[in-house]
Amino acid sequence: MSLNNLAISLKNRFKQRGVSSDLDEAIEFNQAALLLRPPGHSERSASLNNLAITLRDRFKQRGVPSDLDEAIELLRAALLLLPPGNSNRSTFLNNLAAGLQTRFEQRGVPSDLDEAIELLRAALLLRPPGHSDRSASLNHLANSLQNRFKHRGIPSDLDEHIELHRAVLLLRPPGHSNRSITLNNIAVGLQNRCEQRGVPSDLDEAIEIHRAALLLRPPGHPDRSTSLNNLANSLQNRFKQRGVLSDLDEAIELDRAALLLHPPGHSDRSTFLNNLSLSLQTRFQQRGVASDLDEAIELLRAALLLFPPGHPHRSASLNDLGLNIRYRFKQWGVPSDLDEAIELHQSALLLFFPGHPNRSMSLFNFAAGLQTRFEQRGVPSDLDEAIELHRAALLLRPPGHPDRSTSLDNLAISLQHRFEQRGVPSDLDEAIELHRAALLLYPPGHSDRSITLNILALGLHYRFEQRGVPSDRDDAFRLYVQLSYLSHSVSRGDLMAAKSWATSAEETNHDSALLAYQTALKFLDQHFTMLPSSPHLFDVVRIATASLAMDAFSCSVRHGALTTAMELVEQGRAVFWTQFTCLRSPLDELSLSGDTGAALENEFKQLSFGLRKALDLSTEERSPQIRQLTMQWNDVVSRIRMLPGFSRFLLPPLFSNLQKAAEEGPVIIVNASQYGCDALIVFSAQDPVHVPLDIPHTEVSELSSEFQSLAEQFGSSDRQNKLVSILRKLWDCVVDPVVRALRASNIHHGSRIWWCPTAEFTLLPLHAAGSYEKNKNNLSHIYISSYTPTLATLIRARQRVSQEVSTQHFVAIGQANPDRGKELRHVAPELAIVARRLGPVVSFTSLEDNDATIQGALDALNHNQWLHLACHGMPHRTQSFDSSFAMRDGPLMIKDIIRSNWQNLEFAFLSACHTTVGHEKSSNEAIHLAAVMQFSGFRSVIGSMWSVDDEVARQVVSVFYRNLVDGSGRLDCTRAAVALHKAVKSLRKKIPLEQQIAFVHIGI
C-alpha cells in the first residue's frame, strides 16, 4: 500500500513542479507495487491501471513510443481482470480507449481509433440513464466520432456526434457549469455538417446555439473569446453561402470583441489580429471600402510586430503582409505599396533559407511582385530578376510537386513579357514549351486545365501573328476545341477560356467561332447554376458575361443560324434573373412532385453546395473532389430529367419553346454587338425574320450616352429638339426597317408588339421612335409597344393563368413624405383617383404616409395581387440591388423584394421615377425596379424610364385606370398596355413629349 501511495505522491508533485525525475520514480514504485501483486491478487488490476496511467503521462511529456505501447498493453491486461459487472469496468474501458486514441493521433492507424470507439460504446452501456458519469461517457464517445469523421468523412459519425452531444445537453440543464461547452460542441458539429452537405438549417441552428453559448460566457468568462470566435466563423460561413452583408458586419464586430480580450502581451493576440484582418479583407472585396483593406493591413502590421527577428512565425507574417499590400496596390495603384510588398517578400525570402519547405512559395511571391512592378514601370532588371526567381522556384518544384504547373506557367508568362519587350524569339519559344509542359500536368478533367490551355493557345496565336506559321494557329484552335468536350464542373477559368476562344476566332474569321460561343454560353449556364442566387452574384455575372450573348447573336446571324441566334442571346442575358426564377421554380415543382422528387431536390441542393465549396479550395486540394462531386451532380441531374415534366431541367430553352413568347404578337429582338447590329422578329408560327440595321455599334453607344445625358435635363424646348433628333435617328436606323418587315409579314395596324432590346438599346426609347413630322407616322401611331427583358419572362407570364377568384384584391401604396427625399404633393390626389376608379370593382386597400413602411408594403403584397405604387424611385447605377422605393421608414430595396415569396401577382403600376433604370455598365442584366417586380411574379408592369413630373403622373394614372376598367366589372392585366397607349394618346397635347413617352409597359 505504501509503494502505491508513494507513487501517487510523486506523480502529484510532478504535476505541480514538472520535475521529470519525480515521474520516473513514480513509475518505478508502480512497477515494484505490481511485482507484489502477482496474477490472482485482488488488487492487481488497480496496479496495472496505475502503472499504465503513469507511463501514458510520461509519453505525453517526452513522446517515447514504447511508453505508450506498454501503457496500452497494461490497460488491456487490467481490463481482462475486470469481469462484466465490476464497478470499475467502465473506468478501465475509458482509460484504454484514451490510450488508443492518443496512439491514433501519433501514428494514424485507423484500427486504434475504431477500437477506442467500440470501447467507449461499451463504457456507455455500463453508464445507463441516471449514472453520475453518463454525460462524461456521452461526451467522450461524441468527440471520438468527430475525430473519425475528420479523418474519414463518414457522414453517420458526424450525425451521431451531434445526437450524442444533444443527449449530453439534456443532462446539463440551464445553470449547469458545463452547459456552454456542450452547446459549443453541438454548434461546431452542425457547422461541420453544413460544410459537408450544405443544409442551410444546420448553419442557422449552429449560429443560434453559438449565440446561446455566448450568453453563458459573459464578460470575464475564460472561454468568452472562443465563443466570440466560433460565432464569428459561423456568420462568415453563412455570408459566403447567402451573401447577406449583415452577417459579415456582425462577424467583424465579434472578431473585434475577441481581439479586445487578447490585449497586447497576450500569447494568442496574433491569431485574433489575423482573424479580424481576414474578415475585413472579405468585406473589402464585397463593398470596396478602402478603410477596410487599410485596417486589415494595419492589423497584419501589428501581428508582425509580435514576431520579432528570430521568431519562427516572422517569415509567414512578412509574407502575409506582403501579399495584402500587393493586393492593395492592384486596387489603387499606389507605387509605394508595390515597393513595400517587394521588400517584405525579399525579407521573407531571407528567412526561408535553402532547404526550407516554404522557400519555393517565397521565391514565387517575390518574383510575382517584381513582375507586377515591371508591368507598371517597364524596368528591364525587374523582369530579368523575376525570371531568375521563377527559375529557382521551379527547380524546387520537381516533377510530382503540386505547384510545379503554377511555376511553369508563371515563368512562361514572364518570358513572354520579355519577348514582347525585346523581341528575342527564344523567349517566346521557351514560354510556349513551358506552357505545354504545364498543360501535361493538367489532364482532361482537371478543373484548372482550361486556364493553362487558354494561355498556351494565346501564345501560339501570338507566334502565328509574329511569324505566320499556319501550324501555330491550327494548334491554338485544336486546343480551344477541346473545351467543347469538358465534362467536369465548370469554373470561371473555363468560361474565360471559352470567351477567349470566341474572340480569337472572330479576329481570324475562324470557322469555330459559333461553336466557341455555344461552348461559352453553355459554361455560363453551368457555372452560375452552382452559385447561390444572391445580389453578390451580380458583379460576378456582369464581369463574366460582358458582351458575350450579343456577340454570339451577331455571329449566329452572320452564319445564317437565326434560331440559334435566338437561343444563344436568351441563354446569355439576364443571367441573374434566369438563375433566380428558372432554378427556383423547377425546384419548387420538384419538391412538390412526390417523395422521389423531394429527395432528388435535396440531393441536388447538397451536391451543388458541395461543388461551390470545392471550387473555392486551393488547386491541389480541389480537383479530385470536384471530379467526384461532378459525377454525382451529373447523375442526380440525369435522374431529375427522367421524371415526367423535367426533361429540360437546367437546360436552356429551345427555339420551339421560345416561339411561344410571340403567341399574342411578334417579339423583336434588337441586338447591338461590336460585330454588327441586327433585329430579329420572332413569330409564333413561322421562322424568325432577320432585319439588318444600318447603324454600327459605336453609333448606338454614342446615341445611348447622348440620350442618358439628355434625360437628366429634360424640360426646356432646346432639349425637346435634341430629343426629337434622337427619336428620328432611332426611327430611321432601327425602328422603321422593323416596321416595314412587320407590315410585310401582315402585322396589322394597331397590333401589339414586344421589344426585347440588348446592350445599349435597352437604354433607348424604341417605343417612342418616329419621324415627328406632319403627315408622317411615328411608331405609336402604328403599333402598341410593350417590352420584355427576355423571351422566357414573357412566356412564364403567359403560362400562369389568372386565378379565378371571386374578389380581386388591389392595394394602392403612396408615400409623399419619405424618410429621405423631397415631398411629393400629388401622391394623395393620385391615390384618391385610383380609389375612385377601382373601389367599385375590386377589394381596395390604401396605405399612405405612416402606414406606407417597408414592412407594411411587403406584407400588403402577401394579400393583394394588384398594386399601384406612388413614391420616389431611387435608382442606384453602381449597386443595382440597392435601387429602392422610398418608404416612410427608409428604402424598400430590390434585395428586400427578391427575398419575398408572393403568390398569384397580376399587375403593378409603378408611379415613380427611374423604375426601368439599371446598372450603368450592365443594362443587359435588367436589375431595376420594374424588372424585380416582374421577376417576383407580376405578369404586367408599368414603369418609367426617367423622371416623371408628379402632376403628369396623376393625369396619366387617371386616364389609364379609366381605360383599364371595362364593363365586365373585373380587371384584366392583359389590357394594361392598351390602356397606357390610350392614356398617353389622349394627353399628347397637354403634356411635354418627354413626359408622354416616359411610361413604358413590360410584360403581357
Side-chain angles (χ1 to χ4, degrees), residues 534-550:
S534 71
H536 168 55
L537 173 61
F538 177 59
D539 280 336
V540 180
V541 173
R542 182 172 57 80
I543 294 164
T545 55
S547 63
L548 183 60
M550 288 67 71

Side-chain angles (χ1 to χ4, degrees), residues 747-783:
I747 303 301
H748 303 298
H749 187 282
S751 297
R752 288 189 64 188
I753 62 173
W754 278 261
W755 296 98
C756 184
T758 76
E760 289 86 352
F761 279 125
T762 61
L763 303 173
L764 289 165
L766 298 171
H767 66 287
S771 60
Y772 289 89
E773 296 176 7
K774 285 185 179 179
N775 303 318
K776 289 189 178 180
N777 285 328
N778 301 328
L779 176 63
S780 60
H781 299 138
I782 307 167
Y783 296 122

Side-chain angles (χ1 to χ4, degrees), residues 203-376:
L203 186 53
D204 293 335
E205 186 183 0
I207 287 169
E208 293 314 305
I209 292 175
H210 276 314
R211 291 193 196 283
L214 183 60
L215 289 174
L216 297 177
R217 294 172 172 178
H221 193 286
D223 293 322
R224 182 169 175 81
S225 63
T226 301
S227 274
L228 289 164
N229 187 56
N230 289 341
L231 178 54
N233 288 339
S234 294
L235 288 162
Q236 279 240 40
N237 286 340
R238 189 163 71 181
F239 166 74
K240 289 173 185 175
Q241 275 192 33
R242 305 179 202 172
V244 179
L245 282 166
S246 58
D247 279 344
L248 182 56
D249 292 336
E250 186 181 356
I252 287 171
E253 294 313 306
L254 291 162
D255 282 331
R256 290 193 194 284
L259 181 60
L260 288 174
L261 297 176
H262 297 83
H266 194 289
S267 58
D268 291 329
R269 182 169 172 81
S270 61
T271 300
F272 289 88
L273 286 164
N274 277 316
N275 289 347
L276 178 55
S277 175
L278 286 170
S279 298
L280 289 162
Q281 288 169 46
T282 302
R283 189 165 70 182
F284 170 75
Q285 289 161 9
Q286 297 301 312
R287 296 183 184 164
V289 178
S291 59
D292 278 344
L293 183 56
D294 292 339
E295 186 182 357
I297 288 170
E298 292 313 306
L299 290 163
L300 289 172
R301 290 192 196 283
L304 181 61
L305 292 175
L306 299 176
F307 301 132
H311 194 287
H313 293 157
R314 182 170 176 81
S315 55
S317 191
L318 285 163
N319 187 64
D320 289 344
L321 180 57
L323 288 171
N324 277 275
I325 291 176
R326 182 148 57 95
Y327 180 64
R328 184 168 69 182
F329 168 77
K330 288 178 180 177
Q331 300 297 315
W332 315 124
V334 178
S336 59
D337 274 347
L338 183 55
D339 293 333
E340 184 184 2
I342 290 170
E343 288 173 12
L344 288 162
H345 285 311
Q346 190 170 25
S347 298
L349 182 61
L350 293 173
L351 299 177
F352 289 120
F353 49 84
H356 193 288
N358 290 330
R359 183 170 173 83
S360 67
M361 174 269 293
S362 189
L363 286 162
F364 180 87
N365 288 338
F366 187 15
L370 288 164
Q371 193 169 318
T372 302
R373 190 163 69 183
F374 165 76
E375 291 164 8
Q376 295 297 313

Side-chain angles (χ1 to χ4, degrees), residues 346-602:
Q346 190 170 25
S347 298
L349 182 61
L350 293 173
L351 299 177
F352 289 120
F353 49 84
H356 193 288
N358 290 330
R359 183 170 173 83
S360 67
M361 174 269 293
S362 189
L363 286 162
F364 180 87
N365 288 338
F366 187 15
L370 288 164
Q371 193 169 318
T372 302
R373 190 163 69 183
F374 165 76
E375 291 164 8
Q376 295 297 313
R377 304 179 199 171
V379 179
S381 59
D382 276 345
L383 184 57
D384 290 336
E385 188 177 0
I387 288 170
E388 293 314 306
L389 289 164
H390 277 313
R391 289 195 194 280
L394 182 61
L395 288 173
L396 296 176
R397 294 171 172 180
H401 192 285
D403 294 322
R404 181 170 174 82
S405 56
T406 305
S407 275
L408 287 164
D409 274 332
N410 280 276
L411 173 56
I413 290 167
S414 295
L415 287 162
Q416 196 161 329
H417 282 320
R418 191 163 71 181
F419 169 77
E420 290 164 7
Q421 188 196 42
R422 303 179 201 172
V424 179
S426 60
D427 277 345
L428 180 57
D429 293 337
E430 185 183 0
I432 287 171
E433 292 314 306
L434 288 164
H435 282 315
R436 286 194 200 276
L439 189 63
L440 291 174
L441 299 176
Y442 295 126
H446 193 289
S447 57
D448 284 333
R449 179 176 170 82
S450 297
I451 296 171
T452 297
L453 183 151
N454 185 38
I455 299 170
L456 174 55
L458 289 171
L460 288 163
H461 190 71
Y462 187 49
R463 191 164 70 181
F464 168 73
E465 290 175 343
Q466 296 291 314
R467 303 181 197 172
V469 179
S471 61
D472 278 343
R473 187 184 72 164
D474 294 342
D475 284 351
F477 284 109
R478 266 196 293 271
L479 287 166
Y480 276 136
V481 169
Q482 292 178 21
L483 294 170
S484 63
Y485 304 118
L486 282 190
S487 60
H488 65 254
S489 180
V490 172
S491 68
R492 208 178 315 172
D494 299 321
L495 178 56
M496 294 301 106
K499 283 179 63 182
S500 180
W501 172 17
T503 301
S504 295
E506 288 278 21
E507 288 173 353
T508 59
N509 199 28
H510 195 265
D511 57 12
S512 67
L514 188 52
L515 177 60
Y517 283 119
Q518 289 171 320
T519 302
L521 287 165
K522 180 180 75 172
F523 287 178
L524 184 72
D525 256 0
Q526 291 177 2
H527 180 53
F528 290 111
T529 297
M530 299 297 166
L531 298 177
S533 291
S534 71
H536 168 55
L537 173 61
F538 177 59
D539 280 336
V540 180
V541 173
R542 182 172 57 80
I543 294 164
T545 55
S547 63
L548 183 60
M550 288 67 71
D551 295 341
F553 180 96
S554 176
C555 180
S556 301
V557 168
R558 282 178 276 128
H559 282 76
L562 301 186
T563 60
T564 302
M566 280 176 58
E567 291 169 352
L568 293 182
V569 77
E570 185 73 9
Q571 194 174 350
R573 294 184 63 247
V575 176
F576 175 85
W577 293 123
T578 300
Q579 295 301 327
F580 181 74
T581 55
C582 291
L583 184 56
R584 182 175 69 172
S585 178
L587 284 178
D588 289 343
E589 293 169 16
L590 192 60
S591 66
L592 297 172
S593 66
D595 293 343
T596 302
L600 287 170
E601 181 218 16
N602 186 53

